[in-house]
Structure formats: structure tokens, C-alpha cells
Amino acid sequence: MSNSSSNGEGNGLRTIIIGAGMAGLLAGIKLKERGENDFTIYEKNDGVGGTWKENTYPGLACDVPAHAYTYSFAYNPEWSSFLAPGPEIREYFEDMVERYGLENHIRFNSEIDTCEWRGGQWHIRTKDGHEDVGQVLVAATGVLHHPNFPKIEGLDDFAGPSFHSARWDHSVQLDGKRIGVIGTGSTGVQIVGALAGRASKLIQFQRTAQYIMSRPGVAYTEEDKRAFREDPSKIEMIRDNPRSAEFRNLFLEAILKPESTALDDLEAMLIQNLEESVKDPVLLEKLRPNYRAACKRLIFSNNYYEAVQHPDVEIETGAIERIEPEGVRLKDGTLVELDVLVLATGFKADQFVRPMTITGEGGMDLEELWSQTPRAYYAVTVPNFPNMVLLNGPSGPVGNFSLIDVAEAQWNYFDQLIEPVRKGECLGIAPTMEALDAYDVRRKEAAAKTVWASGCKSWYIGDDGLPQVWSWSMDHFWDVMSKPKFDDYELFEAIAAE
Ligand code: NA7
């Protein structure tokens, strides 16, 4: 077995990190900060950035304010606007690689196939046969990276170019074309916002109307950037902005207590945005959602309602029957003729580390443990999978918050959790099954009460019909992540004291 990726400089544990997106790079930076250099980040793509590398569609932007979607230890005064465009975020992560000297730790074009806990170590193997061994496994694979191709008959029959939003084909000429976009999630909304006026006809196929929250896309001037450079407290003001905090609290209350007036208030705010923005009464009714606000992930946009009122843009609410070479055939028999077809149909959000095969203590297969639905103790660790952490894993807070803050808190938790292994008190540490089961009971109980479970379809809902996301307050999350409860953990192969 080759262990060629080992940098051999470590004084601690060897760590294998899966994924060079936001969370995987974070793990690398944090290890370096501790003076631990014995780690390798395996990345299936040929560059860093994860979702910000894979998604390149027109209009791609983060809906969390740029200064909040930034590592807490690496502010970026240079963000071009309040909401950063996707390519800029990818560049930020590329800069982080350089700034923290991660280049030699990343193995690109290396997709891990299997991870096996054997003899107190994680043995991994990539698709191209490379093998490696380490004591710690960091699964930073992201949540939304397996494109969901809709089950629509004839999808392959379309004569023109057709692609998923996360696999944008930049060789395709868009200007002056008849473009169809299936889907009205954040992605479909951003694409339509960007393409309105460029296509000769832009038709968005809407199965479900969305609530849209307006959010200004203010561009920062050179003066703003200088101020951010000179006075980081200006950045902090955006991160802790009391007005956003006020909205966050209203939003959280609405999610966690759908019977509260907070949800009515939120809904009223969103409907007001719709009614004030859209003039044509027919279009307005097409865009009026028929479910509770925030049941689906809230969409932030400053240009969507303007875009859908562009004379060349159309919202098609007729159900799709099938795709034909010339375009989309609706159930009522109408053929919507198209030159380009974009599938903004989302992701398989229940995949996490799949399709890797991960085998834990005693040959336990993660797939088996997850046969009903992906589970992890407080979203981070899994019984019988020692020294393994999931960053932004199942049941974590993924809804409308900065996932960077979430990953940083999860890393801080794991960093403390792994201490007994670092000290040589044991070879491995993992939560007990009882602890996971008890957590799951609490989680399901809380999840069933949230607005996410109020009857709409969304990527938050798991196979068990319940939301797969953090269903308590964020304060509870920060609190739980601040310190591991070691009583809920078991140690593997403890080394007897001399
Ligand atoms: P989403 O939010 O999962 O949206 C997918 C969209 O695709 C949604 O409007 C779906 O309609 C639609 N869809 C999916 N399958 C079909 C079929 N078969 N027919 C018609 N319409 C379909 O994915 P996004 O990529 O937009 O956003 C994902 C996350 O990325 C987002 O929340 C941010 O966190 C960033 P539906 O609403 O189910 O009726």
C-alpha cells in the first residue's frame, strides 16, 4: 500500500479530508493553525470551491450577505457587492488555498470510492486505485452536489442543447434563443433574473410558485472597500447587523412555531413584495404561492419579479407531459417550442457522502445505517464510525444561514472531541447508538412541528417524510456545538495506562 500523500510532517494524527469545498478547506486551515501538517484533501474535481466550482450558471450568487459568507478568520474587504456573485466566491476559496498554503495538501481529480475503519485507522481508496491511511476522516462532501434529473418522459429526445443548471454548457449560444428553464428554486430564479432580455423567448416552467424576499444587490464602491480594509468593525457590523438579526429571529420563530404570528407577519411581508412588484393580475396570481411561507427554502432576489415582467419572459404553469425534439409538450397538448432547455431541477439532497462506501467498526456499512434516512448525532458524528466528522451533514442547519458559520462551529466541536485520540487515550471515538437514537427521537419530534413539515414539497424533506434539517433554534446549535458531551461517546480500543 502506498501512503504517498502523507506529508510526514505531523506531530498529531493523520487526517483525510474528503472535498475541497468551503468545509474541507476550513478543516485544512484549522489543522494547519494547530501546527498539524499531516493531512490530505481529496477532491473529485480539478479545482477547489465545491458547489462554487460546479455551479457556473448565469446569475449565480450567494443569498447570504458576502461579509457573512466569509470565514470568521479571513475577512474579505474586496467583495464587490452585498451579495457576492458565484465566481467571486470561488476565487475567495482559491485565495484561501494560497494564503494558508494548502496547495500541496490537495489531491485533485481524486474521487474517493471506499473508506474502511480497520485496525484503528481509516483506509481509503480512490476510484483510480490510490490508497491512503489516516486516523481521522473528515467528510466535507457538501449537501447539494448530485444533480436531480427530473423524471420526465423523453428528456433525452430534445434536439437542442439541454443540461442541468449545475453542469452549465458555456459553449451554448443563448442570445436571441428560445430558452426553457424547468424549476423555480433559487437556481431557476437566479437564471431567469440573469437571462431576461437576452433570450428571444424565456419560458420558465413552474410547478410550484415561490415566495420571494427582496434583498438589495448593492454594489460596493472603492470607498466602501477601503473602509472595510481600514476598519474591520464595518465588516462586523454587516455580520452582526441588528436588522438582519431581527429578521433572522422573525424567520426562525416563523419556522419553529408555524402557529405564531411571526409566520403570518413573514407571509404578509412576502405577499406585499409580490403584490407591489407584479402589475399584471394574471401573472400575479400565477406567482402567488398556495402553501405557508418558508415551508420551502426562502428565495432572496432583487430582480426576479422585474425579470418575469419582461415582455420576452413567460411563466408556464401548465403541467409537463413529456419532452419532444422540438420542445416541451404540456398535458393540455400544447407544444412549447425551444432551442435550449435548462434543468434547474435541484439536487438529490439526501446523498451526503454517497456514493462512497464507508465501513466502520465491526464492518458496519454506513449505507445500512442510513437505509431509511441519513442520520448523524447532532449532525456531526455517527456511531461505529470512529474519528469521523460530517461537516454540514444530515440534520444540520442548512436553511438560509451562512453554512460557513455552521461548519466552523462543527469543526470547533470535533476539534475538542478528538482530543482523547490526540492524547493517545484511545484509538477512536464515536457516539453511542443510544445517543444517536435519543437525538433522533428529539429531532423528529421537533422537525414535525416546523413549518417545513406543513405540507409542501422541498429538498429539506427526507425519505421518512420529515425535514432533515436542524429543527431547533440556532442558539441551541451554537450551544451544543460549543462543547461535546463525552458521556454520549464511546472510546475504541483504549490504550491501557502504564
Ligand atoms: P430546488 O430548490 O430543489 O428547486 C428545484 C426546482 O425544480 C423546483 O422548482 C421543483 O419544483 C422543480 N422540479 C423538480 N423536478 C421537477 C419536475 N419533474 N417537473 C417540474 N419541475 C420540477 O433546487 P435549486 O437548485 O433551485 O436550489 C437548491 C438550493 O441551492 C437552494 O435552496 C439554495 O440552497 C442553493 P417543485 O417546487 O418541487 O414543485
Side-chain angles (χ1 to χ4, degrees):
M1 173 183 299
S2 95
N3 194 3
S4 56
S5 299
S6 171
N7 300 290
E9 300 161 26
N11 49 5
L13 306 167
R14 173 155 175 74
T15 303
I16 289 163
I17 301 169
I18 314 171
M22 173 277 286
L25 297 180
L26 168 76
I29 294 168
K30 288 287 169 183
L31 285 170
K32 284 210 109 172
E33 224 172 54
R34 296 184 59 89
E36 292 190 21
N37 282 296
D38 196 5
F39 65 91
T40 298
I41 305 177
Y42 286 85
E43 170 53 54
K44 65 175 158 42
N45 289 322
D46 60 2
V48 302
T51 195
W52 301 107
K53 163 144 182 76
E54 289 185 351
N55 285 277
T56 58
Y57 61 78
L60 172 69
C62 185
D63 58 12
V64 172
H67 284 295
Y69 193 79
T70 303
Y71 293 131
S72 63
F73 48 84
Y75 289 173
N76 177 24
E78 313 307 323
W79 289 124
S80 67
S81 51
F82 182 71
L83 299 175
E88 227 177 279
I89 302 175
R90 195 199 65 234
E91 279 164 28
Y92 170 76
F93 290 120
E94 287 167 354
D95 287 351
M96 293 299 108
V97 171
E98 211 181 306
R99 187 186 303 185
Y100 292 93
L102 295 177
E103 298 95 335
N104 296 332
H105 289 274
I106 308 176
R107 206 184 151 97
F108 290 113
N109 303 308
S110 247
E111 185 169 355
I112 295 184
D113 203 16
T114 59
C115 304
E116 188 188 353
W117 173 258
R118 185 166 21 98
Q121 303 205 88
W122 281 105
H123 298 251
I124 65 110
R125 194 185 163 87
T126 63
K127 283 222 154 109
D128 58 8
H130 172 82
E131 295 183 348
D132 197 352
V133 182
Q135 288 80 46
V136 178
L137 187 65
V138 178
T141 52
V143 191
L144 303 172
H145 57 117
H146 294 284
N148 172 47
F149 287 89
K151 291 185 188 72
I152 302 176
E153 196 193 317
L155 209 53
D156 295 334
D157 297 345
F158 187 63
S162 165
F163 42 84
H164 189 274
S165 54
R167 300 286 181 270
W168 197 271
D169 183 346
H170 290 275
S171 70
V172 174
Q173 166 69 33
L174 300 171
D175 296 307
K177 293 282 160 58
R178 296 167 302 176
I179 305 170
V181 176
I182 301 181
T184 53
S186 290
T187 305
V189 163
Q190 290 186 343
I191 292 172
V192 166
L195 293 187
R198 279 186 62 185
S200 73
K201 197 90 203 146
L202 180 60
I203 296 139
Q204 186 173 33
F205 295 88
Q206 171 186 287
R207 190 164 67 178
T208 313
Q210 292 277 3
Y211 285 97
I212 309 283
M213 179 90 196
S214 76
R215 181 164 261 180
V218 192
Y220 289 131
T221 61
E222 281 313 308
E223 208 174 308
D224 292 331
K225 292 183 202 172
R226 194 172 333 112
F228 290 137
R229 253 175 251 138
E230 287 169 4
D231 182 4
S233 74
K234 293 210 157 39
I235 292 180
E236 260 133 40
M237 264 166 59
I238 296 175
R239 292 172 74 87
D240 306 330
N241 184 334
R243 267 189 58 218
S244 356
E246 202 180 298
F247 175 73
R248 249 193 331 263
N249 291 340
L250 172 83
F251 180 62
L252 268 169
E253 174 110 353
I255 287 168
L256 302 177
K257 295 185 194 147
E259 70 292 347
S260 71
T261 53
L263 182 55
D264 295 336
D265 293 348
L266 178 69
E267 219 161 81
M269 193 188 291
L270 296 163
I271 291 297
Q272 186 183 359
N273 183 32
L274 168 68
E275 291 179 343
E276 283 178 358
S277 308
V278 179
K279 305 275 177 298
D280 172 23
V282 177
L283 179 61
L284 193 149
E285 289 317 311
K286 277 187 184 177
L287 295 168
R288 191 186 293 279
N290 60 358
Y291 54 92
R292 298 307 314 256
C295 183
K296 284 171 176 284
R297 193 179 197 273
L298 207 55
I299 295 182
F300 293 85
S301 174
N302 63 340
N303 64 3
Y304 181 65
Y305 285 149
E306 193 188 322
V308 295
Q309 294 176 88
H310 189 280
D312 298 335
V313 178
E314 214 172 276
I315 297 290
E316 178 54 70
T317 54
I320 298 173
E321 173 72 19
R322 63 177 174 272
I323 309 295
E324 295 182 1
E326 299 78 24
V328 173
R329 177 77 64 183
L330 302 178
K331 281 215 180 342
D332 70 2
T334 316
L335 176 69
V336 182
E337 290 186 67
L338 299 170
D339 301 310
V340 181
L341 178 61
V342 177
L343 307 172
T345 43
F347 299 86
K348 292 178 185 156
D350 63 344
Q351 296 300 293
F352 297 99
V353 295
R354 294 154 168 170
M356 275 181 285
T357 302
I358 306 197
T359 318
E361 177 73 17
M364 156 105 51
D365 182 0
L366 188 66
E367 196 55 42
E368 212 171 289
L369 186 71
W370 284 9
S371 59
Q372 282 197 314
T373 193
R375 315 162 65 198
Y377 170 80
Y378 284 100
V380 278
T381 49
V382 183
N384 293 307
F385 291 79
N387 307 351
M388 179 178 94
V389 64
L390 299 160
L391 298 177
N392 292 311
S395 79
V398 289
N400 294 108
F401 302 103
S402 168
L403 285 191
I404 296 192
D405 288 350
V406 169
E408 285 192 25
Q410 291 175 329
W411 181 264
N412 173 52
Y413 175 96
F414 184 67
D415 193 40
Q416 297 174 66
L417 181 72
I418 205 71
E419 195 55 20
V421 186
R422 253 191 223 121
K423 284 194 195 141
E425 292 168 11
C426 60
L427 285 181
I429 184 163
T432 63
M433 196 58 88
E434 294 72 38
L436 173 62
D437 288 344
Y439 165 74
D440 257 353
V441 169
R442 284 189 59 216
R443 185 188 69 75
K444 286 180 182 170
E445 223 176 82
K449 291 181 193 151
T450 61
V451 74
W452 299 313
S454 65
C456 69
K457 238 203 235 159
S458 83
W459 63 265
Y460 289 167
I461 307 289
D463 286 343
D464 58 1
L466 282 172
Q468 272 294 327
V469 289
W470 188 257
S471 297
W472 301 279
S473 71
M474 286 309 285
D475 282 346
H476 182 47
F477 178 75
W478 308 130
D479 189 39
V480 174
M481 287 297 111
S482 67
K483 203 169 171 37
K485 213 167 131 196
F486 281 94
D487 287 352
D488 281 350
Y489 281 86
E490 62 181 321
L491 307 183
F492 290 79
E493 297 192 44
I495 297 163
E498 296 276 301

